[in-house]
Amino acid sequence: MSARADSRKGWGFAAPALLWTAAFFVVPFVVMAVMSLATLDGRTLIWGLHPDNYLELAEKRYLWRAVLVSVEITLTVTVVSVLLAYPLAWIIAFRVPARWQRLALLLAILPFWTSYVVRSYAWLLVLAREGVVNQTLMTLGLIAEPVTLANTRIATVTGFVHFFVMLLTLTIYANLVQLSPNYRRAAMDLGANAFQTFRHVILPLTLPGIATGAFLTFVLCIGDYITPEILGGNNELTVPQVIMVQLGRRADFPLASALAIVLMGLVTLAYLGVARWLRIDRL
């Protein structure tokens, strides 16, 4: 009787979260999936199980090109952010005195305090032809005339990396500070040098933090509309930008839904890859 009462109590506590998830994720996702199989005849929406929208994705170059651009930008941002965040997290965890680590973390997350849109426009000004970067390079004599940095993929990646390095720093730092110094001492007692200790001991133990941060970076980056729209212009359209075009200009909800399903599929593949990695790491 007690076990049954505990079970009912547990379901009672979980019910609000389950209802919230069902109402604001499961139901909208089902509607979107059904919508992706509908067709548009002029302005008339025709419901049915038609794969026309997915076939259109494969046939129209600008659609699958948008998918490819989104994946390329996201993977670039994720890799660069990990490579920059790990040394920063290492320095804060092991080189900054304990009494100053909170201040260092506070300085690291300062970009989170700024509006996402404001931050993107700030980078647009910095990377403009008359911006700080070009003026500095010309002053140093590295270039003779301004180069185009804004409204390019470089600008988009830079804006993303500026934000996600801080997110990854926090997740990696959380793993690093939990490591016992005895791991490094034991490795060195067994004859391992600093690089071998890092490669065979520290890095494997911090993979959960890297994987978690990388997955969050992947999800937030591949679904972002603001940064590519402001910093990338319309030279290379990403999937979110194409979805907005379908909704805003053509009112083609079925095709936009199909693109969103493809986006969800990419996120699911990323999650499965991270989940498998983490399971291996726990063995």
Side-chain angles (χ1 to χ4, degrees):
M1 189 67 178
S2 177
R4 184 176 300 177
D6 289 342
S7 178
R8 286 199 300 267
K9 186 182 296 185
W11 280 108
F13 284 123
L18 294 175
L19 291 174
W20 181 274
T21 302
F24 295 101
F25 177 76
V26 177
V27 173
F29 179 78
V30 172
V31 172
M32 185 174 65
V34 174
M35 177 72 74
S36 70
L37 296 174
T39 58
L40 199 64
D41 185 9
R43 293 290 181 178
T44 304
L45 188 65
I46 302 175
W47 296 94
L49 300 178
H50 308 290
D52 298 356
N53 296 308
Y54 295 97
L55 295 176
E56 188 174 351
L57 290 178
E59 293 172 356
K60 291 190 176 180
R61 185 178 183 276
Y62 81 95
L63 292 177
W64 59 260
R65 175 62 183 169
V67 176
L68 183 61
V69 168
S70 292
V71 173
E72 289 176 349
I73 290 176
T74 301
L75 291 179
T76 302
V77 169
T78 302
V79 172
V80 173
S81 297
V82 169
L83 293 178
L84 293 177
Y86 203 103
L88 178 57
W90 180 279
I91 291 172
I92 295 176
F94 298 127
R95 294 292 181 263
V96 175
R99 66 179 181 274
W100 296 110
Q101 287 186 10
R102 289 186 178 180
L103 177 60
L105 290 173
L106 180 64
L107 295 175
I109 64 174
L110 279 179
F112 288 105
W113 296 9
T114 308
S115 168
Y116 202 60
V117 176
V118 172
R119 190 164 55 244
S120 297
Y121 275 112
W123 273 112
L124 187 63
L125 294 175
V126 170
L127 298 174
R129 292 184 65 84
E130 302 299 328
V132 175
V133 174
N134 272 310
Q135 292 299 322
T136 301
L137 293 176
M138 292 177 65
T139 301
L140 296 175
L142 299 178
I143 57 174
E145 57 183 19
V147 296
T148 301
L149 296 175
N151 298 322
T152 63
R153 183 181 295 195
I154 293 176
T156 302
V157 170
T158 301
F160 274 133
V161 168
H162 174 230
F163 178 79
F164 291 118
V165 161
M166 306 310 162
L167 178 64
L168 276 157
T169 298
L170 294 179
T171 60
I172 296 172
Y173 169 84
N175 262 188
L176 288 173
V177 295
Q178 293 177 6
L179 295 181
S180 172
N182 293 330
Y183 288 120
R184 286 183 290 171
R185 295 169 185 164
M188 292 179 179
D189 287 343
L190 294 173
N193 56 34
F195 176 75
Q196 291 172 329
T197 300
F198 171 76
R199 179 183 175 185
H200 297 291
V201 179
I202 304 299
L203 183 60
L205 291 174
T206 54
L207 282 180
I210 297 174
T212 301
F215 176 67
L216 291 175
T217 299
F218 187 95
V219 173
L220 296 175
C221 183
I222 200 169
D224 188 274
Y225 169 77
I226 298 298
T227 300
E229 183 70 14
I230 295 176
L231 293 177
N234 293 317
N235 296 322
E236 286 186 316
L237 294 180
T238 61
V239 174
Q241 288 176 292
V242 174
I243 290 175
M244 292 301 296
V245 169
Q246 303 305 318
L247 295 176
R249 298 181 184 177
R250 300 180 56 190
D252 193 342
F253 288 89
L255 182 57
S257 298
L259 285 165
I261 293 295
V262 171
L263 206 59
M264 287 289 294
L266 294 173
V267 172
T268 301
L269 291 176
Y271 170 76
L272 293 176
V274 171
R276 181 183 60 183
W277 194 2
L278 292 179
R279 283 200 302 270
I280 293 175
D281 181 72
R282 293 192 185 103
L283 294 178

